[in-house]
Each structure stands twice: as C-alpha cells, then as structure tokens.
Amino acid sequence: MAGPLNLFVGKASSIIRVLLVNNPKTWTLRELAKESGVSLGWTSKVSEALIRERLAIRDSERAELKLIAPEDLLRRWASFTNFEAHNGFINYYSAEPDISKFLSSFKGMGGPDYAITGLAGALLTAPLVKPSNTHIYVRSEGDAKAWAQLLGLSPVESDGNVKFAVAADKSTFYGSHLVNGVRIVSDVQLFVDLFNYPNTGREAAEEIFKVIERRWKSNNNNKRDSG
C-alpha cells in the first residue's frame, strides 16, 4: 500500500467508526474485522497505525486493541471531514415548515434505510437550535426518490429544505438508532458531520460530544461492573 494510511476514509474509517461507537470495548483483530466488515489485513494495518500514533494500545492477555485517546481520534476525524463538501445532495421541498413535525412523519413509516443527520439529528439528540432544513442519509438515489414519494416531497434544483445524501460507505449507518421513533445516525457520526458545518454546526457538535462522553463513561462503568 503506497503512502501513509489515512484513518478517516474508506475501509479504515469503517474500523474507526466501530471503535468509537463501542468505546471503551476492547477487540481482537478478528472480532474487529468481522464487526466492521473489513479484511483482517486492513484491520491489522489500521490497528498498527493507531498504536503508532498513540491513539490505541494492545490490552489484556489476548492483546486486544483498546483506544487510549478516543476524544483525540474523534476530533481528528471530525476536523478532516467537511459534510457539505464531501457529500452530493439530492434536494427536495417539504411544505411542512415545522422541522419537528416533518421528522415525526417518519415514525412507523415503512421505507428504505435512512438515517437523519446534521442539525435535524442534533434537534433529536441534544436540541440547541431549530434547523431550517433536514439532512438524511440514504443508500441510493432510488431510495431518496422512494422517500420523496412516501413523504410527498417536491424535487427542486437546489436549496431544498430536505436534502438526501447518498452514503459513500454502508458503515455510515453503523450505530444508527431510533429516537422518538425516528432513525438517526450514531452520535459519533453526528458529531463528525456537524463539526465543520456552518453557522451553529460546531456549537451543536459540542453538545453532541457531551452525549458521547456520557455514554462512554456509562459504558466504562458497566464494563467495570460486569468485570
């Protein structure tokens, strides 16, 4: 493999996502490869890079991989990522002016895979401001069209108040979960997407980080109790 390994793109980012979503869980390389859907060889390369950069160590008798600087790793990833620049958007218009009411229309509705992100995701996770639009990950342009039909959206050339982004990697959906019946991306993915988002994006990201930090601490306490 030529050149240094970029931890925040492609297969490597799938592994990083699994580590951060499940922190402070420790992993054998085989477990991590299976969970992330990446080859054992790639998993080993990413593991070595994390250890080299003092972001992880080998822990326990089974030499499991353990993050030692999860916040540093998450912030490096977020700093590298520009949600608007790295995604192409399929724009639609919703006649519903209230974002909360629009989001509630997803409840119980059968449709293709989706996950809310951006400020709309923050509204559901750690409300700070009321956004003027909704960003939604889907797996394909066809899935965006299917949701547009289900929700009664009108296509527009640009500046739609509903913006579908075709996920570049299926692992984007890893850790997605329901909040009040609406599926949103993992808090880790939400932080990454918001960090360089304009206007109130950084502020919203920091509110999401508080959620992540509480979850990490809770996971760590649960791990100690079970151990």
Side-chain angles (χ1 to χ4, degrees):
M1 183 176 58
L5 175 65
N6 187 334
L7 292 170
F8 309 123
V9 296
K11 297 174 184 177
S13 69
S14 299
I15 296 168
I16 299 304
R17 187 178 282 105
V18 168
L19 289 168
L20 288 170
V21 167
N22 295 286
N23 183 64
K25 178 177 169 59
T26 59
W27 302 83
T28 67
L29 290 187
R30 288 191 181 279
E31 290 171 342
L32 184 55
K34 182 178 180 181
E35 184 73 11
S36 58
V38 175
S39 72
L40 191 58
W42 261 100
T43 304
S44 178
K45 288 186 175 91
V46 171
S47 170
E48 289 167 5
L50 289 169
I51 292 168
R52 244 188 345 263
E53 296 186 32
R54 298 182 180 180
L55 295 165
I57 58 172
R58 294 285 193 188
D59 188 45
S60 83
E61 292 179 358
R62 292 202 303 165
E64 294 173 326
L65 189 69
K66 176 184 179 181
L67 291 180
I68 56 172
E71 180 178 352
D72 187 11
L73 178 60
L74 177 60
R75 290 185 180 278
R76 286 196 203 181
W77 184 12
S79 297
F80 172 80
T81 305
N82 186 309
F83 176 66
E84 288 198 309
H86 291 178
N87 287 284
F89 297 101
I90 306 164
N91 285 270
Y92 285 90
Y93 172 75
S94 168
E96 174 54 69
D98 188 314
I99 294 286
S100 295
K101 288 183 180 178
F102 172 72
L103 291 173
S104 69
S105 64
F106 283 89
K107 293 180 182 179
M109 186 175 286
D113 288 345
Y114 77 96
I116 307 294
T117 191
L119 291 172
L123 180 66
L124 291 167
T125 306
L128 182 69
V129 295
K130 206 141 193 179
S132 58
N133 52 44
T134 302
H135 290 91
I136 309 168
Y137 279 116
V138 289
R139 295 191 186 274
S140 69
E141 188 172 345
D143 288 353
K145 290 178 180 178
W147 274 113
Q149 289 181 337
L150 287 167
L151 299 170
L153 307 178
S154 303
V156 291
E157 287 296 319
S158 60
D159 298 324
N161 59 359
V162 179
K163 299 174 182 292
F164 291 95
V166 177
D169 190 311
K170 65 181 181 180
S171 70
T172 301
F173 292 90
Y174 183 84
S176 65
H177 56 286
L178 293 175
V179 175
N180 297 327
V182 181
R183 183 161 295 280
I184 66 171
V185 293
S186 69
D187 48 20
V188 165
Q189 184 69 51
L190 191 54
F191 178 85
V192 169
D193 288 344
L194 284 167
F195 193 77
N196 286 318
Y197 193 77
N199 301 321
T200 57
R202 182 67 58 88
E203 192 176 356
E206 294 304 335
E207 288 300 307
I208 299 302
F209 182 72
K210 293 175 185 176
V211 174
I212 295 171
E213 197 169 35
R214 286 195 297 269
R215 181 172 59 76
W216 283 349
K217 287 179 180 177
S218 175
N219 289 349
N220 193 44
N221 290 336
N222 292 337
K223 185 179 178 183
R224 282 203 301 265
D225 291 344
S226 64

